[in-house]
Amino acid sequence: MLTSPGDRMPQSWSPMLHRRSILKGIAGLAVGAPLAPSIARAAGLKTVRFSEAVHNLGYINLYVGMHAGIFEKNGLAMQVSAAGGDTQTFAAVLGGSADFAIGDPTMVVISRENGGPGMVVGTVVQRAHYFAVSKTVEPFTDPKGFKGKRIATSPEPNTNFSVTKRLLESNGMKLGADATIVPVSPGTEIAAMLAGAADIAVAYQPGVAQAVAQGAKIVFDFSNYVGPFCNTGIMVLPGTIQQAPETVQALVTSFEEAGRKTYGDPDYAKKVARLEFPDLPGEVVDSAIDAELKYKIPASSVVTEKDAWESLMGMQKYLGNIKGTLTFDQVVDNVFADKAAKRAG
């Protein structure tokens, strides 16, 4: 079945905070946070309050699962809202307004290192789902092509900021001297570039395909350069795992099934994407899905792979966003994902 996208619109972005303030805020939310979801039964289904960082096609598995009735088949009624960024989406879980969230799973590590709760139970985006796009810069494969450029990304600690900063610094460039990151509200990176506020935008689909349709071009591909990378994880409180394991399993199983349907039936994924982004030309949305699948950006399996996780953690430790004191097994619980993958065959 195909349904309408509903009212999942991003909330407005609050002013950027200094990283230390963000980390302190996340830790503060963890204190006294409820450890179990408020899951109501309606029409035989368990209602799950679900927060996505920003509405985008990197999360196509979520949308395919909803439109295809996969979550309902597994007993869940999804209530999805867009939080406006990675920090906000996990904060919704910590604060008790969401039962699960998808976004940069580094937020769980930050919480844990500051004495708070959090676990990652699956992967939704398995590559850095960002492309550098520009109307004035020619394509390049050497990261030094960013030198001298103004680059629009979301503010730190959002993932496209972190990936870009790590890329620049690891290739010998100093921020503010050799290249400049222009932080803008999540989802407005393309608009900033088109308006001339930046030379390059580091953005995700479908904004990238929309920019290309307006005369811009992809100048650098982060997904292949970075390789396996746990860009987006399913985040939850440990109390939910302990008190509602059947709900966690149903959710993770749904993502496994949805990911397989996305890759197995691209035409259906395109139909879903058109419904989720009805204001964009259909051919633009189709192009975005083609790119998502070509670069293997949506997770082909919900299981969190250790190499992809370590790639993310290495970047975040380098940037100083985490201390890197927690092991993979301390933060990632693959029990539900392994069971889902085995059941799906």
Side-chain angles (χ1 to χ4, degrees):
M1 84 181 163
L2 288 171
T3 62
S4 62
D7 58 355
R8 295 190 298 280
M9 296 299 291
Q11 298 173 1
S12 59
W13 174 261
S14 58
M16 184 180 72
L17 301 174
H18 187 277
R19 186 197 314 142
R20 291 186 183 276
S21 298
I22 293 173
L23 305 193
K24 183 178 179 182
I26 290 179
L29 278 171
V31 178
L35 294 180
S38 174
I39 299 174
R41 292 186 176 274
L45 301 177
K46 291 184 178 180
T47 299
V48 173
R49 300 165 303 164
F50 192 91
S51 177
E52 58 176 352
V54 179
H55 198 57
N56 73 92
L57 286 179
Y59 301 164
I60 185 62
N61 291 351
L62 169 64
Y63 313 140
V64 164
M66 293 179 68
H67 286 274
I70 293 172
F71 290 100
E72 290 183 1
K73 182 197 74 169
N74 287 307
L76 305 179
M78 299 289 283
Q79 291 183 349
V80 180
S81 60
D86 292 311
T87 304
Q88 294 93 322
T89 196
F90 187 55
V93 173
L94 290 174
S97 62
D99 305 315
F100 299 88
I102 53 173
D104 185 345
T106 304
M107 301 305 145
V108 169
V109 179
I110 292 171
S111 173
R112 293 283 297 279
E113 288 186 342
N114 283 277
M119 289 296 291
V120 176
V121 293
T123 294
V124 178
V125 179
Q126 64 188 9
R127 294 271 176 146
H129 70 135
Y130 304 108
F131 299 89
V133 294
S134 177
K135 292 195 77 169
T136 59
V137 176
E138 291 301 313
F140 55 90
T141 55
D142 185 340
K144 288 186 172 59
F146 284 105
K147 191 169 184 178
K149 304 298 189 296
R150 297 167 300 155
I151 309 157
T153 78
S154 303
E156 63 175 326
N158 285 284
T159 321
N160 58 345
F161 182 103
S162 298
V163 169
T164 303
K165 182 179 179 182
R166 170 70 183 275
L167 183 74
L168 296 175
E169 293 185 346
S170 63
N171 281 276
M173 286 171 274
K174 184 177 180 180
L175 283 180
D178 298 310
T180 302
I181 291 182
V182 180
V184 298
S185 297
T188 67
E189 299 90 350
I190 295 291
M193 180 272 296
L194 293 176
D199 305 301
I200 295 172
V202 177
Y204 34 77
Q205 300 288 6
V208 172
Q210 188 177 22
V212 170
Q214 296 179 60
K217 49 187 172 287
I218 295 175
V219 298
F220 187 81
D221 163 31
F222 282 86
S223 62
N224 280 321
Y225 185 86
V226 175
F229 184 76
C230 186
N231 192 101
T232 301
I234 303 172
M235 301 176 284
V236 64
L237 297 182
T240 303
I241 295 174
Q242 295 162 8
Q243 299 175 32
E246 70 288 346
T247 301
V248 179
Q249 187 65 66
L251 185 93
V252 172
T253 296
S254 297
F255 268 101
E256 179 70 27
E257 294 175 0
R260 295 186 183 222
K261 185 169 182 62
T262 295
Y263 280 95
D265 192 351
D267 288 339
Y268 183 81
K270 290 175 182 177
K271 290 177 182 177
V272 168
R274 288 186 179 211
L275 287 170
E276 289 294 320
F277 294 89
D279 295 334
L280 296 182
E283 62 273 14
V284 169
V285 176
D286 290 350
S287 176
I289 291 296
D290 284 337
E292 290 288 299
L293 300 184
K294 174 184 177 181
Y295 293 104
K296 296 180 173 62
I297 290 171
S300 52
S301 174
V302 76
V303 177
T304 301
E305 299 294 345
K306 192 169 184 178
D307 60 342
W309 180 260
E310 295 300 340
S311 179
L312 172 67
M313 292 298 99
M315 179 191 76
Q316 297 291 7
K317 184 176 180 181
Y318 169 86
L319 294 173
N321 289 333
I322 62 170
K323 302 180 187 75
T325 56
L326 299 172
T327 67
F328 176 82
D329 291 332
Q330 286 177 300
V331 182
V332 178
D333 183 350
N334 263 332
V335 170
F336 301 99
D338 286 337
K339 186 179 294 186
K342 184 176 180 180
R343 185 180 299 166

Coordinates of all heavy atoms in Angstrom, one line a residue, residues 150-235:
R150 N 34.4 28.2 0.1 CA 33.4 28.3 1.2 C 32.4 27.2 1.1 O 31.9 27.0 0.0 CB 32.7 29.7 1.1 CG 33.6 30.9 1.2 CD 32.8 32.1 0.8 NE 32.3 32.0 -0.6 CZ 31.3 32.6 -1.1 NH1 30.5 33.4 -0.4 NH2 31.0 32.5 -2.4
I151 N 32.3 26.4 2.2 CA 31.5 25.1 2.1 C 30.4 25.2 3.1 O 30.5 25.3 4.3 CB 32.5 24.0 2.4 CG1 33.7 24.0 1.6 CG2 31.7 22.6 2.3 CD1 34.9 23.3 2.2
A152 N 29.2 25.1 2.6 CA 28.0 25.1 3.4 C 27.7 23.7 3.9 O 27.6 22.8 3.2 CB 26.8 25.6 2.6
T153 N 27.5 23.6 5.3 CA 27.1 22.4 5.9 C 26.2 22.7 7.1 O 26.0 23.9 7.4 CB 28.3 21.5 6.5 OG1 28.7 22.1 7.7 CG2 29.4 21.5 5.5
S154 N 25.5 21.7 7.6 CA 24.8 21.9 8.9 C 25.8 22.3 10.0 O 27.0 22.0 9.9 CB 24.0 20.7 9.3 OG 23.1 20.3 8.2
P155 N 25.4 22.9 11.1 CA 26.3 23.2 12.2 C 26.8 22.0 12.9 O 26.2 20.9 12.8 CB 25.4 24.1 13.1 CG 24.2 24.5 12.3 CD 24.0 23.4 11.3
E156 N 28.0 22.1 13.5 CA 28.4 20.9 14.3 C 27.5 20.8 15.5 O 26.9 21.7 16.0 CB 29.9 21.2 14.8 CG 30.1 22.4 15.7 CD 31.5 22.4 16.2 OE1 32.2 21.4 16.5 OE2 32.0 23.6 16.4
P157 N 27.3 19.5 16.0 CA 28.0 18.3 15.6 C 27.3 17.5 14.6 O 27.4 16.3 14.6 CB 28.1 17.6 17.0 CG 26.8 17.9 17.6 CD 26.4 19.3 17.2
N158 N 26.5 18.1 13.7 CA 25.8 17.3 12.7 C 26.8 16.6 11.8 O 27.9 17.1 11.6 CB 24.9 18.2 11.8 CG 23.6 18.6 12.6 OD1 22.7 17.8 12.7 ND2 23.6 19.8 13.1
T159 N 26.4 15.5 11.2 CA 27.4 14.6 10.6 C 28.1 15.2 9.4 O 29.3 15.0 9.1 CB 26.8 13.3 10.2 OG1 25.8 12.9 11.2 CG2 27.8 12.2 10.0
N160 N 27.3 16.0 8.5 CA 28.0 16.6 7.3 C 29.0 17.6 7.7 O 30.1 17.7 7.0 CB 27.0 17.1 6.3 CG 26.1 18.1 6.8 OD1 25.9 18.4 8.0 ND2 25.4 18.8 5.9
F161 N 28.9 18.3 8.8 CA 29.9 19.2 9.3 C 31.1 18.4 9.7 O 32.3 18.7 9.3 CB 29.4 20.0 10.5 CG 30.4 21.0 11.1 CD1 30.3 22.3 10.8 CD2 31.5 20.6 11.9 CE1 31.2 23.3 11.3 CE2 32.4 21.5 12.4 CZ 32.3 22.8 12.1
S162 N 30.9 17.3 10.5 CA 32.0 16.5 11.1 C 32.8 15.8 9.9 O 34.0 15.8 9.9 CB 31.4 15.4 12.0 OG 30.8 16.0 13.1
V163 N 32.0 15.2 9.0 CA 32.7 14.6 7.9 C 33.6 15.5 7.1 O 34.7 15.3 6.7 CB 31.7 13.9 7.0 CG1 32.3 13.4 5.7 CG2 31.0 12.7 7.7
T164 N 33.0 16.7 6.8 CA 33.7 17.7 6.0 C 35.0 18.2 6.8 O 36.0 18.3 6.2 CB 32.8 18.9 5.7 OG1 31.6 18.4 5.0 CG2 33.5 19.9 4.8
K165 N 34.8 18.5 8.0 CA 35.9 19.0 8.8 C 37.0 18.0 8.9 O 38.2 18.3 8.7 CB 35.5 19.4 10.2 CG 36.6 20.0 11.1 CD 36.1 20.3 12.5 CE 37.2 20.9 13.4 NZ 36.8 21.2 14.7
R166 N 36.7 16.7 9.1 CA 37.7 15.7 9.2 C 38.4 15.6 7.8 O 39.6 15.4 7.8 CB 37.1 14.4 9.6 CG 38.0 13.1 9.4 CD 39.1 13.1 10.4 NE 40.0 12.0 10.3 CZ 39.8 10.8 10.8 NH1 38.7 10.5 11.4 NH2 40.7 9.8 10.6
L167 N 37.7 15.6 6.8 CA 38.2 15.5 5.4 C 39.2 16.6 5.1 O 40.4 16.4 4.7 CB 37.1 15.5 4.4 CG 37.6 15.3 2.9 CD1 37.9 13.9 2.7 CD2 36.5 15.8 2.0
L168 N 38.9 17.8 5.5 CA 39.7 19.0 5.2 C 41.0 18.9 6.1 O 42.1 19.0 5.5 CB 39.0 20.3 5.6 CG 37.8 20.6 4.7 CD1 37.1 21.9 5.2 CD2 38.2 20.8 3.2
E169 N 40.9 18.7 7.4 CA 42.0 18.7 8.2 C 43.0 17.5 8.0 O 44.2 17.6 8.1 CB 41.6 18.7 9.7 CG 40.9 20.0 10.1 CD 40.5 20.1 11.5 OE1 40.6 19.1 12.2 OE2 40.2 21.2 12.0
S170 N 42.4 16.3 7.6 CA 43.2 15.2 7.4 C 44.0 15.3 6.1 O 44.9 14.5 5.8 CB 42.4 13.9 7.4 OG 41.4 13.9 6.4
N171 N 43.6 16.3 5.3 CA 44.3 16.5 4.0 C 45.1 17.8 4.1 O 45.4 18.5 3.1 CB 43.3 16.6 2.8 CG 42.9 15.2 2.4 OD1 43.6 14.5 1.6 ND2 41.8 14.7 2.9
G172 N 45.5 18.2 5.3 CA 46.4 19.3 5.5 C 45.8 20.7 5.4 O 46.6 21.7 5.3
M173 N 44.5 20.8 5.4 CA 43.9 22.1 5.3 C 43.4 22.6 6.7 O 42.9 21.9 7.5 CB 42.7 22.1 4.3 CG 43.2 22.0 2.9 SD 41.8 21.8 1.7 CE 41.7 20.0 1.8
K174 N 43.6 23.9 6.9 CA 43.2 24.5 8.2 C 42.0 25.3 8.0 O 41.9 26.2 7.1 CB 44.3 25.5 8.7 CG 44.0 26.0 10.1 CD 45.2 26.9 10.6 CE 44.9 27.5 11.9 NZ 46.0 28.3 12.4
L175 N 41.0 25.0 8.8 CA 39.7 25.7 8.7 C 39.9 27.2 9.0 O 40.6 27.6 9.9 CB 38.7 25.2 9.7 CG 38.0 23.9 9.3 CD1 37.0 23.4 10.4 CD2 37.3 24.0 8.0
G176 N 39.3 28.0 8.2 CA 39.4 29.5 8.3 C 40.5 30.1 7.6 O 40.5 31.3 7.4
A177 N 41.5 29.2 7.2 CA 42.6 29.7 6.4 C 42.6 29.1 5.0 O 42.6 29.9 4.0 CB 43.9 29.4 7.2
D178 N 42.6 27.8 5.0 CA 42.7 27.1 3.7 C 41.3 26.9 3.1 O 41.1 26.8 1.9 CB 43.4 25.8 3.8 CG 44.8 26.0 4.2 OD1 45.5 26.8 3.6 OD2 45.3 25.3 5.2
A179 N 40.3 26.8 3.9 CA 38.9 26.6 3.5 C 38.0 27.0 4.7 O 38.4 27.0 5.8 CB 38.6 25.1 3.2
T180 N 36.8 27.4 4.3 CA 35.8 27.9 5.3 C 34.6 27.1 5.3 O 34.0 26.9 4.2 CB 35.5 29.4 5.0 OG1 36.7 30.2 5.0 CG2 34.6 29.9 6.1
I181 N 34.1 26.6 6.5 CA 32.8 26.0 6.6 C 31.8 27.1 7.0 O 32.0 27.8 7.9 CB 32.8 24.9 7.6 CG1 33.7 23.7 7.1 CG2 31.4 24.4 7.9 CD1 33.7 22.5 8.0
V182 N 30.7 27.1 6.2 CA 29.6 28.1 6.4 C 28.5 27.3 7.0 O 27.8 26.6 6.3 CB 29.2 28.8 5.2 CG1 28.1 29.8 5.4 CG2 30.4 29.5 4.5
P183 N 28.3 27.3 8.3 CA 27.2 26.5 8.9 C 25.8 27.2 8.7 O 25.6 28.4 8.9 CB 27.5 26.5 10.4 CG 28.3 27.7 10.6 CD 29.1 28.0 9.4
V184 N 24.9 26.3 8.2 CA 23.5 26.8 8.0 C 22.5 25.8 8.5 O 22.9 24.7 8.9 CB 23.3 27.0 6.4 CG1 24.2 28.1 5.9 CG2 23.4 25.7 5.7
S185 N 21.3 26.2 8.6 CA 20.2 25.3 9.1 C 20.2 24.0 8.3 O 20.3 24.0 7.1 CB 18.9 25.9 9.1 OG 18.9 27.1 9.9
P186 N 20.1 22.8 9.0 CA 20.0 21.5 8.2 C 18.9 21.6 7.2 O 17.8 22.0 7.4 CB 19.7 20.5 9.3 CG 20.2 21.1 10.6 CD 20.0 22.6 10.4
G187 N 19.3 21.2 6.0 CA 18.3 21.2 4.9 C 18.4 22.4 4.0 O 17.8 22.4 2.9
T188 N 19.2 23.4 4.4 CA 19.3 24.6 3.6 C 20.6 24.8 3.0 O 21.0 25.9 2.5 CB 19.0 25.9 4.5 OG1 20.0 26.0 5.5 CG2 17.6 25.7 5.2
E189 N 21.5 23.8 3.0 CA 22.8 23.8 2.5 C 22.8 24.2 1.0 O 23.6 25.1 0.5 CB 23.6 22.5 2.7 CG 23.7 22.1 4.1 CD 22.6 21.3 4.7 OE1 21.5 21.2 4.0 OE2 22.7 20.7 5.8
I190 N 21.9 23.6 0.2 CA 21.8 23.8 -1.2 C 21.4 25.3 -1.5 O 22.0 26.0 -2.3 CB 20.8 22.9 -1.9 CG1 21.3 21.4 -1.8 CG2 20.6 23.3 -3.3 CD1 22.5 21.1 -2.6
A191 N 20.4 25.7 -0.7 CA 19.9 27.1 -0.9 C 21.0 28.1 -0.7 O 21.2 29.1 -1.4 CB 18.7 27.4 0.0
A192 N 21.9 27.9 0.3 CA 23.0 28.8 0.7 C 24.0 28.8 -0.5 O 24.5 29.9 -0.9 CB 23.7 28.3 1.9
M193 N 24.3 27.7 -1.1 CA 25.2 27.7 -2.2 C 24.6 28.4 -3.4 O 25.2 29.2 -4.1 CB 25.5 26.2 -2.6 CG 26.5 26.0 -3.7 SD 25.6 25.9 -5.3 CE 24.7 24.4 -5.1
L194 N 23.3 28.1 -3.7 CA 22.7 28.7 -4.9 C 22.6 30.2 -4.7 O 22.6 31.0 -5.7 CB 21.3 28.1 -5.1 CG 21.2 26.6 -5.5 CD1 19.8 26.1 -5.6 CD2 21.9 26.4 -6.9
A195 N 22.4 30.7 -3.5 CA 22.3 32.1 -3.2 C 23.7 32.8 -3.2 O 23.8 34.0 -3.1 CB 21.6 32.3 -1.9
G196 N 24.8 32.0 -3.3 CA 26.1 32.6 -3.4 C 26.8 32.8 -2.0 O 27.9 33.4 -1.9
A197 N 26.1 32.3 -0.9 CA 26.8 32.4 0.4 C 27.9 31.4 0.6 O 28.7 31.4 1.5 CB 25.7 32.1 1.5
A198 N 28.0 30.4 -0.4 CA 29.0 29.4 -0.3 C 29.3 28.9 -1.8 O 28.5 29.1 -2.6 CB 28.6 28.2 0.5
D199 N 30.5 28.4 -2.0 CA 30.9 27.9 -3.3 C 30.4 26.5 -3.5 O 30.1 26.1 -4.6 CB 32.4 28.0 -3.4 CG 33.0 29.3 -3.2 OD1 32.6 30.3 -3.9 OD2 33.8 29.5 -2.2
I200 N 30.4 25.8 -2.4 CA 30.0 24.3 -2.4 C 29.1 24.1 -1.3 O 29.2 24.6 -0.2 CB 31.3 23.4 -2.2 CG1 32.2 23.6 -3.4 CG2 30.9 22.0 -2.0 CD1 33.6 22.9 -3.2
A201 N 28.1 23.2 -1.5 CA 27.2 22.7 -0.5 C 27.5 21.2 -0.2 O 27.6 20.5 -1.2 CB 25.7 22.9 -0.8
V202 N 27.6 20.8 1.0 CA 27.7 19.4 1.3 C 26.3 19.0 1.8 O 25.9 19.4 2.9 CB 28.8 19.1 2.4 CG1 28.8 17.6 2.8 CG2 30.1 19.5 1.9
A203 N 25.6 18.2 1.0 CA 24.2 18.0 1.2 C 23.8 16.6 0.9 O 24.6 15.8 0.4 CB 23.3 19.0 0.4
Y204 N 22.5 16.2 1.1 CA 22.0 14.9 0.9 C 20.8 15.0 0.0 O 20.4 16.0 -0.5 CB 21.6 14.3 2.3 CG 21.1 15.2 3.3 CD1 19.8 15.7 3.2 CD2 21.8 15.7 4.3 CE1 19.3 16.7 4.0 CE2 21.4 16.6 5.2 CZ 20.1 17.1 5.1 OH 19.6 18.0 6.0
Q205 N 20.3 13.8 -0.4 CA 19.2 13.7 -1.3 C 17.9 13.9 -0.6 O 17.8 13.5 0.6 CB 19.2 12.3 -2.0 CG 20.4 12.0 -2.8 CD 20.5 12.7 -4.1 OE1 19.7 13.6 -4.4 NE2 21.5 12.4 -4.9
P206 N 16.8 14.5 -1.2 CA 16.8 14.8 -2.7 C 17.3 16.2 -3.0 O 17.2 16.6 -4.2 CB 15.3 14.7 -3.0 CG 14.7 15.2 -1.7 CD 15.5 14.7 -0.6
G207 N 17.8 16.9 -2.0 CA 18.3 18.3 -2.4 C 19.4 18.3 -3.4 O 19.5 19.2 -4.3
V208 N 20.3 17.3 -3.4 CA 21.3 17.2 -4.4 C 20.8 17.1 -5.8 O 21.2 17.8 -6.7 CB 22.3 16.0 -4.1 CG1 23.3 15.8 -5.2 CG2 23.0 16.3 -2.7
A209 N 19.8 16.1 -6.0 CA 19.2 16.0 -7.3 C 18.5 17.2 -7.7 O 18.5 17.6 -8.9 CB 18.3 14.8 -7.3
Q210 N 17.9 17.9 -6.8 CA 17.2 19.1 -7.1 C 18.2 20.2 -7.5 O 17.9 21.0 -8.5 CB 16.4 19.6 -5.9 CG 15.5 20.8 -6.1 CD 14.7 21.2 -4.9 OE1 15.1 20.9 -3.8 NE2 13.6 21.8 -5.1
A211 N 19.3 20.3 -6.9 CA 20.3 21.2 -7.3 C 20.9 20.9 -8.7 O 21.1 21.9 -9.5 CB 21.5 21.2 -6.3
V212 N 21.1 19.7 -9.0 CA 21.6 19.3 -10.3 C 20.5 19.7 -11.4 O 20.9 20.2 -12.4 CB 21.8 17.8 -10.4 CG1 22.1 17.3 -11.8 CG2 23.0 17.4 -9.5
A213 N 19.3 19.5 -11.1 CA 18.2 19.9 -12.0 C 18.2 21.4 -12.2 O 17.7 21.9 -13.3 CB 16.8 19.5 -11.5
Q214 N 18.8 22.2 -11.3 CA 18.9 23.7 -11.4 C 20.2 24.1 -12.0 O 20.5 25.3 -11.9 CB 18.6 24.3 -10.1 CG 17.2 24.1 -9.5 CD 17.0 24.7 -8.2 OE1 17.1 25.9 -8.0 NE2 16.7 23.9 -7.2
G215 N 21.0 23.2 -12.5 CA 22.2 23.6 -13.1 C 23.5 23.4 -12.3 O 24.6 23.6 -12.8
A216 N 23.4 22.9 -11.1 CA 24.6 22.6 -10.3 C 25.1 21.2 -10.7 O 24.4 20.5 -11.5 CB 24.2 22.6 -8.8
K217 N 26.2 20.8 -10.2 CA 26.7 19.4 -10.5 C 27.4 18.9 -9.2 O 27.8 19.6 -8.3 CB 27.7 19.5 -11.6 CG 28.8 20.5 -11.5 CD 29.6 20.5 -12.8 CE 30.6 21.7 -12.8 NZ 29.9 23.0 -13.1
I218 N 27.4 17.6 -9.1 CA 28.1 16.9 -8.1 C 29.6 17.0 -8.3 O 30.1 16.6 -9.4 CB 27.7 15.4 -8.0 CG1 26.2 15.3 -7.6 CG2 28.6 14.7 -6.9 CD1 25.7 13.9 -7.6
V219 N 30.3 17.6 -7.4 CA 31.8 17.8 -7.6 C 32.6 16.9 -6.7 O 33.8 16.7 -7.0 CB 32.2 19.3 -7.3 CG1 31.4 20.2 -8.3 CG2 31.9 19.7 -5.9
F220 N 32.0 16.2 -5.7 CA 32.8 15.3 -4.9 C 31.8 14.3 -4.2 O 30.8 14.8 -3.7 CB 33.6 16.1 -3.8 CG 34.6 15.2 -3.0 CD1 35.8 14.8 -3.6 CD2 34.2 14.7 -1.8 CE1 36.7 14.0 -2.8 CE2 35.1 13.9 -1.0 CZ 36.3 13.5 -1.6
D221 N 32.2 13.1 -4.2 CA 31.4 12.0 -3.6 C 32.0 11.5 -2.3 O 33.0 10.9 -2.3 CB 31.2 10.9 -4.6 CG 30.7 9.6 -4.0 OD1 30.0 9.6 -3.0 OD2 31.1 8.5 -4.5
F222 N 31.3 11.8 -1.2 CA 31.8 11.4 0.1 C 31.6 9.9 0.4 O 32.5 9.3 1.1 CB 31.1 12.2 1.3 CG 31.6 13.6 1.5 CD1 31.1 14.6 0.7 CD2 32.6 13.8 2.4 CE1 31.5 15.9 0.9 CE2 33.0 15.1 2.6 CZ 32.5 16.2 1.8
S223 N 30.6 9.3 -0.2 CA 30.3 7.9 0.2 C 31.4 7.0 -0.2 O 31.8 6.1 0.5 CB 29.0 7.5 -0.5 OG 29.0 7.5 -1.9
N224 N 31.9 7.1 -1.5 CA 33.0 6.2 -1.9 C 34.3 6.6 -1.3 O 35.2 5.7 -1.0 CB 33.1 6.3 -3.4 CG 32.1 5.4 -4.1 OD1 31.8 4.3 -3.6 ND2 31.5 5.9 -5.2
Y225 N 34.6 7.9 -1.0 CA 35.8 8.3 -0.4 C 35.9 7.8 1.0 O 37.0 7.3 1.4 CB 36.0 9.8 -0.4 CG 37.3 10.3 0.1 CD1 38.4 10.4 -0.8 CD2 37.5 10.6 1.4 CE1 39.7 10.8 -0.3 CE2 38.8 11.0 1.9 CZ 39.8 11.1 1.0 OH 41.1 11.5 1.5
V226 N 34.9 7.9 1.8 CA 34.9 7.5 3.2 C 34.8 6.0 3.3 O 35.4 5.3 4.2 CB 33.8 8.2 4.0 CG1 33.7 7.6 5.4 CG2 34.0 9.7 4.0
G227 N 34.0 5.3 2.4 CA 33.7 3.9 2.5 C 32.7 3.5 3.6 O 31.9 4.4 4.0
P228 N 32.7 2.3 4.1 CA 31.7 1.9 5.1 C 31.7 2.8 6.3 O 32.8 3.1 6.8 CB 32.2 0.5 5.5 CG 32.9 -0.1 4.2 CD 33.6 1.1 3.7
F229 N 30.5 3.3 6.7 CA 30.4 4.3 7.7 C 29.1 4.3 8.3 O 28.0 4.4 7.6 CB 30.7 5.7 6.9 CG 30.7 6.9 7.8 CD1 31.8 7.2 8.6 CD2 29.7 7.8 7.8 CE1 31.9 8.3 9.4 CE2 29.7 8.9 8.6 CZ 30.8 9.2 9.4
C230 N 29.0 4.2 9.6 CA 27.7 4.1 10.2 C 27.1 5.6 10.4 O 27.2 6.2 11.4 CB 27.8 3.5 11.6 SG 26.2 3.2 12.4
N231 N 26.6 6.1 9.3 CA 26.1 7.5 9.3 C 24.9 7.7 10.1 O 24.8 8.7 10.8 CB 25.8 7.8 7.8 CG 25.6 9.3 7.6 OD1 26.5 10.0 7.1 ND2 24.4 9.8 7.9
T232 N 24.0 6.7 10.1 CA 22.7 6.9 10.8 C 22.4 5.6 11.6 O 22.4 4.5 10.9 CB 21.6 7.2 9.9 OG1 21.9 8.4 9.2 CG2 20.3 7.4 10.6
G233 N 22.1 5.7 12.8 CA 21.7 4.5 13.6 C 20.4 4.6 14.3 O 19.8 5.7 14.4
I234 N 19.8 3.5 14.7 CA 18.6 3.5 15.5 C 19.0 3.6 16.9 O 19.6 2.7 17.5 CB 17.8 2.2 15.2 CG1 17.5 2.0 13.7 CG2 16.5 2.2 16.0 CD1 16.9 0.7 13.4
M235 N 18.5 4.7 17.6 CA 18.9 5.0 19.0 C 17.8 4.8 19.9 O 16.6 5.2 19.6 CB 19.5 6.4 19.0 CG 20.7 6.6 18.1 SD 21.3 8.3 18.1 CE 20.0 9.1 17.0

